[in-house]
Amino acid sequence: MTAGRNSAVGEQASATPGKAAKGVKGAGGAAVSAGKGAGGAGGAAGSGGKRAAAKKTGAAKPVKKAVAAGPAKKAAAAKPAKSATKAAAVKPAKSATKAAAAKSVRPVTKAAAGPAKKAAPAKPAKSGTRAAASTSAERVEKSAAAKSAKPAKKSAAEPESRTALVRRARRINRELAEVYPYAHPELDFENPFQLLVATVLSAQTTDLRVNQTTPALFAKYPTPEDLAAANPEDVEELIRPTGFFRAKTKSIMGLASALRDEFGGEVPGRLEDLVKLPGVGRKTAFVVMGNAFGRPGITVDTHFGRLARRWKWTQETDPDKVEKAVGELFPKSDWTMLSHRVIFHGRRICHARKPACGACPIAPLCPAYGEGETDPEKAKKLLKYEKGGFPGQRLKPPQSYLDAGGIPAPPLGATAPPATGE
């Protein structure tokens, strides 16, 4: 312990300027002789004690002489400390040498008491440093844990869970039910046959154009048997306004013949039978099943598929895959009316190019909000049909539509304000 303290004192004293060390040369010599006396005392412990006591008095005198020079004390204390350390290190095995070195160093320790006391607290400082280091390490760990926990707060960037998607989708359906309580198929029909033919004709054109065309067609060919026996050129001329009239003539005359020959002139109510008819796919089949027979079905037209992707219900583009994905989000009993509501919304507010976001009743639920006009006043100018005060697509709409302020569509050839574009 004494050797350790002396080495600490020696290290502090070594920093003293060289000039101060030269000024205390005499005192340093006395201290060195004291160190030698301590080394010589290794022969006998008793005599070593006496010599150490004698050297103590001898070593004290040079220290008194060095009182005049303040820095000299520190320098004087420094040299004996080094020599004492060396002496203690030379023969560490002998207890007498340790005792003599300890006694001989005592005067030096007193002289260097000031620096020694200051250096003594250095040992506890290590534990304090360790504590501080451990505390800082804990802080680093906590901060690292906090940083790793930050991404959890950014839940908006994480993918929507399946449960959340189902809840949001069904809430959108409920909101649309309040906005469009009068939603209905926008094709005029009086029986399943008329609805089937009108749906086939609606491909690549608007429901309005079909509704303006079918009255003359059904007036001339009211049954499947009549249409199957018609002159193709006459049929083409009647349905020309719908576009692709040659291909459509072939389809509707073909399905009329199949109904006459295979189903007794009646439209079947099963999906597997309907899709076998010429020009009839799943979309057309579900329109007929849901609206003519009351059997649930999802109608994936252009508007339905577009909004399903815009609302993140699915990313599929194939109509059959869209139908399957959306059908899993809703109970089967909702499928038919869901189709009407989504199509109504797509035609009136949520347009493909310029959606009226500022006038949309489901804006808080829409992940694509902001793609269109968000200013309420400007958005109102984008509304169509009854929402914008314009005529609808049906010449003979249901009474609920008229009660809600809907306006019937004009017949073919009549002028009317532009209300559509999709």
Side-chain angles (χ1 to χ4, degrees), residues 217-241:
L217 177 68
F218 296 142
K220 192 171 183 178
Y221 310 108
T223 66
E225 292 82 2
D226 295 330
L227 184 57
N231 184 346
E233 293 180 356
D234 294 340
V235 176
E236 289 177 1
E237 192 62 30
L238 287 172
I239 68 171
R240 183 183 291 269

Side-chain angles (χ1 to χ4, degrees), residues 112-193:
K117 288 181 181 179
K118 290 181 181 179
K123 291 182 179 180
K126 291 183 180 179
S127 59
T129 304
R130 292 177 181 175
S134 61
T135 304
S136 62
E138 291 176 0
R139 290 177 181 174
V140 171
E141 290 178 0
K142 289 180 180 179
S143 62
K147 288 181 180 178
S148 62
K150 282 183 179 179
K153 296 180 180 179
K154 300 179 181 180
S155 57
E158 297 178 357
E160 187 177 30
S161 68
R162 179 69 180 180
T163 302
L165 173 60
V166 172
R167 289 176 178 173
R168 183 171 62 84
R170 295 186 180 185
R171 186 177 173 187
I172 288 176
N173 185 35
R174 292 193 297 270
E175 294 289 338
L176 293 178
E178 294 181 6
V179 178
Y180 308 107
Y182 46 80
H184 57 271
E186 295 191 273
L187 290 171
D188 286 326
F189 68 97
E190 295 178 357
N191 54 58
F193 172 65

Side-chain angles (χ1 to χ4, degrees), residues 144 298 379 400:
I298 294 178
S400 60

